[in-house]
């Protein structure tokens, strides 16, 4: 688990991998926003991403949450393509919207 109590958290790199896929992993930013710059994989089996502020991912995103949640107090912005590999719930509890600015692939999870 990764926890940041206050302020904002920014992670950057060519390829970011958060979670090992072997158990519950959580990422929590209590009062701030989370920004990830680079191709990002969230492999949080049953885990959660929670921010008091917004979430921004700048790059291709792969979400493999297996029933986990992404819950933000602000909006969520996914600026590249998003590959959703398993069930997940994306929620903004505040005034923010959830934006997908690239292609969204659901790997057969959603029937047309």
């Amino acid at each position: 688990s990764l926890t940041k109590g206050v302020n904002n958290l920014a992670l950057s790199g060519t390829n970011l991998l958060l979670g090992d896929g072997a158990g519950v992993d959580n990422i929590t930013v209590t009062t701030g926003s989370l920004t990830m710059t680079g191709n990002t994989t969230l492999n949080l089996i049953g885990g959660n991403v929670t921010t008091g502020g917004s979430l921004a991912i700048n790059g291709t995103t792969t979400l493999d949450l297996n029933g986990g949640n992404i819950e933000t107090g602000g909006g969520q912005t996914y600026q590249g393509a998003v590959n959703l590999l398993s069930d997940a719930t994306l929620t903004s509890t505040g005034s923010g919207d959830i934006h997908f600015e690239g292609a969204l692939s659901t790997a057969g999870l959603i029937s047309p």
Side-chain angles (χ1 to χ4, degrees):
S1 293
L2 172 65
T3 301
K4 172 89 168 130
V6 295
N7 297 322
N8 301 319
L9 177 62
L11 304 171
S12 64
T14 303
N15 294 295
L16 300 172
L17 171 62
L18 301 171
D20 62 9
V24 174
D25 293 301
N26 296 295
I27 300 169
T28 304
V29 181
T30 306
T31 59
S33 297
L34 174 60
T35 302
M36 292 180 267
T37 302
N39 297 328
T40 301
T41 299
L42 296 175
N43 192 9
L44 308 175
I45 306 304
N48 300 298
V49 176
T50 307
T51 69
S54 61
L55 169 68
I57 301 179
N58 308 309
T60 299
T61 304
T62 301
L63 299 176
D64 194 2
L65 303 181
N66 281 304
N69 303 299
I70 297 178
E71 183 175 303
T72 57
Q76 298 176 28
T77 303
Y78 302 88
Q79 291 188 339
V82 174
N83 302 306
L84 184 61
L85 301 182
S86 60
D87 292 340
T89 302
L90 309 179
T91 306
S92 173
T93 60
S95 60
D97 294 326
I98 299 173
H99 293 277
F100 296 96
E101 296 179 1
L104 176 62
S105 170
T106 59
L109 294 174
I110 299 173
S111 300

